[in-house]
Amino acid sequence: MWQRFTQEARKIVFLATEEAGKHGESHVSTEHLLLGILRADNCLACQALRAMSADPAELRSKIEEQIGSGGSHLAEDIQLTPRAKRVIDIAYNEARRMMNDFIGSEHLLLGLVGEAEGVAARVLSAVGIDLDRARAVVTELQQATGAASPAHATANSTRKLTGRDLIGISDLDRSDIYLIFDTAKRLKTAMSPEEQRKLLTGKTLAMIFEKPSLRTRVSFEVGMTQLGGHAIYLAPSDIQLGKRESIGDAARTLDRMCDLIMARTFAHSTVVELAEYAGVPVINGLSDLEHPCQALADFFTILEKKGTLQGLKVVFVGDGNNVAHSLMLLAAKVGTNFTIACPEGYEPRAEIVAQARRDAEQTKAIIDIVRDAKQATAEADVVYTDVWASMGQEHEAEERARVFAPYQVNAELMKLAKPDAIFMHCLPAHRGSEVTDEVIDSPQSVVFDEAENRLHVQKAVMVLLAQK
Ligand code: CP
Ligand code: NVA
């Protein structure tokens, strides 16, 4: 059974045996395996735990809270409990899934998370670690440290975002989402500017804008500069997509010269068509249907502020628009409960709601549509709003102002949310309409952290899509 174990994984099992003995047990159980991992401080599993913001000392004390720290037993032979055996079986399966021909500390960690019932799994779950997230971090760390077996490096799932498009949230699975978050976190907090400049050296991003933008344009352009690449801004009047030439011809031309395309369009079909014709990855920088980069930055912000996404209640008060669509789809994928309060006739599109509810079957997220903003906001962890008339709907602004008046996020509404609830807005905000100054300028408001995170998350997206 042990022949495929790396030196490090064997050491962890040995340390786990010692831990079992120290705790007066004759059998090695899941908690002893986790304690063994924590003692092998530099192992890939420990690096993965730190990358997921889990503090080894805190994990150790959580385990000891459950199993006590006394007792003594001289362990002569390695005897595993049935749960620990299951951990090893899962570790083997995880290694196979990652096409690794060895069992390392990282696979043992995935085994512990995947086993789901033992003390270790419960302690890891309590600090927000689940299997998808752990897999994403481990595969990425393997790539960063060269730990994956070279023969399989190109098939490794760390590469699975390479060359793909990001048109909508449905292009991503849960592990892709956590891979983006973990990469964004490393870019934001751990990598030097010099290291970052090497990531996209010599690469060019074409940015097509059919609509105005501040955050999207600046974050993509600054992002490319920081990653050592270059971004070209193509204003509506420059290329006149579909008028001066067909969408397909523009896409095929950009494909010959650029490494990535980002497009902000009116019709969602335009960004879909660009992706059909361009071989290089196409990123949706907002269409009438979705704003996936915004939702990714928003959930990254929620994770930063709340430490977890699962089981939180995000309430969107206002129009069932592009931003609401992407937030709802993302909430369903990561297990966050999502309620939208909107007037009749302004609900999210039925196919988006249906997709979100299908995804939510896996994660048990509740996806709800209600009329009453007050009812929706009760006990919310996050209160989110967006403009009542999106770009392209300016002619409806007056009518919408009337219909949406009961949906203003003001101090009275915020009082119904949890006391530590945060307020979010994708910006630009129409102060005095969908949100009052009092709320957007309050200590609960995280709107500028959210805006800043557009930069970190999109840098992660670009690196992951464009890496060779
Ligand atoms: N939130 C957002 O996408 O902002 P811009 O429209 O300014 O890009
Ligand atoms: N729903 C808004 C978002 C702006 C970032 C719009 O489409 O105009």
Side-chain angles (χ1 to χ4, degrees):
M1 165 150 119
W2 310 111
Q3 68 268 23
R4 278 175 58 202
F5 273 51
T6 60
Q7 199 88 354
E8 196 158 63
R10 284 173 200 225
K11 182 174 145 199
I12 286 167
V13 175
F14 172 75
L15 293 172
T17 314
E18 267 193 6
E19 288 292 333
K22 271 206 294 189
H23 290 88
E25 300 289 343
S26 58
H27 281 69
V28 173
S29 192
T30 69
E31 57 270 29
H32 308 123
L33 286 169
L34 183 53
L35 288 170
I37 285 176
L38 298 174
R39 275 178 62 190
D41 191 50
N42 267 331
C43 69
L44 211 67
C46 274
Q47 291 179 44
L49 288 168
R50 281 192 290 269
M52 292 183 282
S53 308
D55 173 23
E58 189 193 328
L59 288 175
R60 170 170 278 276
S61 68
K62 275 185 193 295
I63 295 171
E64 285 183 342
E65 262 167 35
Q66 303 208 23
I67 63 170
S69 52
S72 169
H73 176 92
L74 195 55
E76 283 148 17
D77 194 11
I78 303 170
Q79 301 280 349
L80 300 177
T81 61
R83 278 209 175 115
K85 282 188 187 148
R86 195 166 139 63
V87 168
I88 307 289
D89 286 346
I90 300 172
Y92 266 87
N93 285 338
E94 289 295 324
R96 198 171 309 122
R97 187 177 177 273
M98 295 161 75
M99 292 185 245
N100 294 152
D101 50 13
F102 57 89
I103 310 296
S105 68
E106 62 273 38
H107 307 108
L108 290 177
L109 176 65
L110 295 175
L112 287 169
V113 179
E115 185 273 332
E117 283 173 2
V119 173
R122 280 186 272 129
V123 165
L124 292 167
S125 158
V127 297
I129 295 174
D130 63 38
L131 193 56
D132 282 339
R133 185 172 180 213
R135 278 175 178 157
V137 172
V138 162
T139 48
E140 206 198 347
L141 274 171
Q142 279 195 336
Q143 187 188 34
T145 58
S149 61
H152 300 124
T154 50
N156 194 292
S157 62
T158 53
R159 305 267 177 188
K160 71 196 187 100
L161 280 169
T162 306
R164 278 169 39 187
D165 300 311
L166 175 53
I167 305 300
I169 294 298
S170 296
D171 291 324
L172 303 171
D173 67 20
R174 200 151 171 250
S175 67
D176 296 331
I177 293 165
Y178 278 110
L179 179 58
I180 292 170
F181 290 168
D182 290 315
T183 308
K185 184 172 174 203
R186 264 226 316 288
L187 288 163
K188 182 173 179 176
T189 60
M191 279 185 88
S192 69
E194 294 69 33
E195 282 176 290
Q196 299 201 21
R197 262 199 296 280
K198 293 183 200 138
L199 293 174
L200 292 184
T201 309
K203 304 244 189 245
T204 303
L205 166 76
M207 305 190 297
I208 299 172
F209 281 93
E210 290 186 336
K211 294 170 173 172
S213 170
L214 173 66
R215 280 144 291 271
T216 304
R217 178 191 172 171
V218 175
S219 52
F220 272 104
E221 194 162 334
V222 170
M224 272 314 262
T225 305
Q226 292 182 357
L227 295 168
H230 179 67
I232 304 172
Y233 174 69
L234 298 163
S237 55
D238 287 339
I239 59 172
Q240 299 170 47
L241 211 54
K243 291 192 202 92
R244 189 164 177 266
E245 62 189 312
S246 74
I247 297 167
D249 286 353
R252 282 183 289 199
T253 305
L254 290 172
D255 174 65
R256 297 291 181 100
M257 302 181 199
C258 300
D259 304 281
L260 285 164
I261 297 171
M262 187 278 292
R264 167 166 285 195
T265 63
F266 284 98
H268 187 70
S269 58
T270 303
V271 72
V272 171
E273 201 172 333
L274 281 168
E276 268 166 25
Y277 284 95
V280 296
V282 173
I283 303 168
N284 180 356
L286 180 148
S287 68
D288 282 355
L289 190 71
E290 275 211 52
H291 198 356
C293 296
Q294 181 68 53
L296 285 165
D298 294 339
F299 274 83
F300 178 73
T301 309
I302 297 170
L303 187 57
E304 276 188 336
K305 303 287 174 193
K306 299 283 177 194
T308 181
L309 297 177
Q310 275 150 337
L312 292 180
K313 180 179 180 187
V314 172
V315 175
F316 185 99
V317 181
D319 188 23
N321 63 15
N322 43 9
V323 172
H325 286 161
S326 294
L327 289 171
M328 179 186 278
L329 289 168
L330 191 35
K333 292 237 173 199
V334 297
T336 303
N337 301 320
F338 183 89
T339 302
I340 176 167
C342 60
E344 197 176 343
Y346 295 89
E347 296 86 2
R349 294 257 288 261
E351 71 270 23
I352 298 279
V353 179
Q355 179 63 51
R357 289 198 169 133
R358 274 197 299 277
D359 292 343
E361 281 168 21
Q362 307 266 321
T363 61
K364 308 283 172 262
I366 300 163
I367 305 295
D368 223 357
I369 304 173
V370 301
R371 291 277 164 257
D372 184 25
K374 289 193 176 130
Q375 180 204 333
T377 308
E379 292 301 302
D381 296 285
V382 177
V383 181
Y384 197 117
T385 192
D386 183 14
V387 292
W388 292 337
S390 286
M391 291 179 275
Q393 297 171 334
E394 289 80 1
H395 59 287
E396 298 175 26
E398 215 173 300
E399 165 72 0
R400 284 172 171 264
R402 194 182 53 72
V403 175
F404 281 97
Y407 292 86
Q408 183 185 66
V409 179
N410 50 38
E412 196 191 333
L413 190 71
M414 282 303 289
K415 278 200 198 108
L416 302 173
K418 285 192 182 152
D420 63 349
I422 53 174
F423 170 75
M424 301 183 79
H425 193 307
C426 55
L427 304 179
H430 292 165
R431 289 164 173 260
S433 293
E434 75 273 4
V435 60
T436 58
D437 285 339
E438 197 181 2
V439 169
I440 200 169
D441 296 328
S442 72
Q444 282 174 287
S445 170
V446 298
V447 296
F448 298 109
D449 294 332
E450 196 185 342
E452 180 193 323
N453 282 337
R454 294 289 303 278
L455 173 67
H456 307 300
V457 169
Q458 285 158 199
K459 280 167 68 181
V461 167
M462 291 193 287
V463 168
L464 291 166
L465 299 186
Q467 70 188 354
K468 282 279 183 295

